[in-house]
Amino acid sequence: MNNVQLKVVIVGTGYVGLSTGVCLAYLGHKVVCIDKNKKIIDTLKNGVATIYEPGLQDMMEKAKKNLIFTDTLEDAYPDTNVFIIAVGTPSKTNGDVNISAVEKVAEEIGDILNNNCRPVIVNKSTVPIGSARKVESVIKTRLARRDIQCKFFVASNPEFLREGVAIIDTLYPDRIVVGADETPAINTLRQLYEPILEQNFSLPLSFQRPAGFDKPSFIVTDPTSAELIKYAANSFLAMKISFINEFAGLAEKVGADIKQVAQGIGLDKRIGTRYLEAGLGWGGSCFGKDTRAIVYTASQYNYPMELIQAAIRVNYRQRLNVVEKLQSIIKVIRGSTIGLIGLSFKPNTDDLRDAPSIDIIKKLIELGARVKVYDPVALNEFKRQFSELAVEYCDNVQELSKNCDALVLITEWSEFSSIDWEKVRGLMRQKVFIDGRNMFDKAYLEKLGFTYQGVGR
Ligand code: UDX
């Protein structure tokens, strides 16, 4: 490897910050990961990953000689080349994004820069249009207070990694987008990502390069376009999911199979097969937040984003369709027992942010159902966050099935593919199964005597 080793500081150790920090350290850079939460830092210092992300723990171990965890920016290298801001940017109730944590970090960075450094400050958190400018002006103000003449650069470098496959997405991305106005910033970020752009790192055993993977493109643009690329990408994917879900509803009415429709359109390369799985719609920390944020931004320009607004409406309607299906099959929800298979917003994560399970549980409880739940990983997180919801926790699918009038598949964890349906059938009161992710074979379950309803089939 002839890559340049950079000194990198990452502020925020959530999914994006920690996965990125660990991967950059693995690739040979010197990385300081900072979080103001001391408990998180203590755990990380002990070599334990603080988020559930397959393979992260192992990568942390492999990268540990290049990794420092601390709770203060004062521990940053005095000659840090790149500061990456990866703190939370939560939604406000009107859909706008709260970037106060980003601004706070910018202030702190402004307070530690010295006369000799020439760092690049990177916005990696998903931030509203104009945030690169904002960060620049905050840092300038802080430097002026101390009369420091530091030439720094601000760049927007949006993150596209998915939870559950964060390491793979970081090491083998489709593209890396850098929004910066000045050449030194672009050059530094090219050096930062050189091992990924050239794919010249030693492959971690557990994360082999995907077959047919090409070197990623390095897209250089202005900061505003980079910021908009992130919103456009997530809005497009969200819209694609809502598109197939809307057609799934129609497929149910006319008697078509949405899986075949998705395949039939997806093989047209202009459309593509991915993000066309009909189901309960999207959840998670990004699609809901980002679609609302871009609608809000556009509204400030008096520009309605009609497509995105419709995609949002379709998504949330999709969750309640499950309850309507239950009503049409078992008729009376009050007094019935419904078991939810899976809680997290998607498999391989314990993340419950904007998870369809939450809306469905609330509606079922409101209608008077007794609700039982099981998830391979997210049960504890659910107990911690939603202790007010009166549900019964189960340790496995069989315990969940006991005396249920209906089971609903919420999350398509791979372990559910080995559910023993004959056993489950014997434990249920009524044999109703709503397959919220089209994971199972309708014909097989119907043969076993289940009333089966998928999404769009
Ligand atoms: C997403 C984006 O993919 C990523 O690029 C961005 O940076 C962060 O947001 P993530 O939220 O981790 O990543 O999950 P993703 O795998 O994209 O799935 C999002 C949601 O869409 C999940 O709830 C998933 O179940 C749902 N989904 C996805 C579908 O319903 N159908 C599909 O075909 C694909």
Side-chain angles (χ1 to χ4, degrees), residues 289-309:
K289 187 179 95 174
D290 295 352
T291 45
R292 286 175 70 230
I294 205 64
V295 166
Y296 176 81
T297 298
S299 76
Q300 289 185 310
Y301 293 81
N302 207 13
Y303 184 75
M305 301 280 276
E306 313 273 9
L307 277 174
I308 312 305
Q309 290 180 49

Side-chain angles (χ1 to χ4, degrees), residues 9 22 38 49 78 81 103 123 138 168 186 199 220 224 247 257 271 305 309 313 329 339 376 391 402 438 455:
V9 164
V22 169
K38 259 184 167 347
N81 304 100
E103 288 177 36
N123 268 346
V138 169
I168 292 196
I186 297 162
Q199 291 290 303
V220 177
T224 307
F247 267 85
D257 182 339
I271 296 174
M305 301 280 276
Q309 290 180 49
R313 281 197 302 274
I329 302 172
V391 299
K402 269 185 210 147
N438 288 341
V455 180

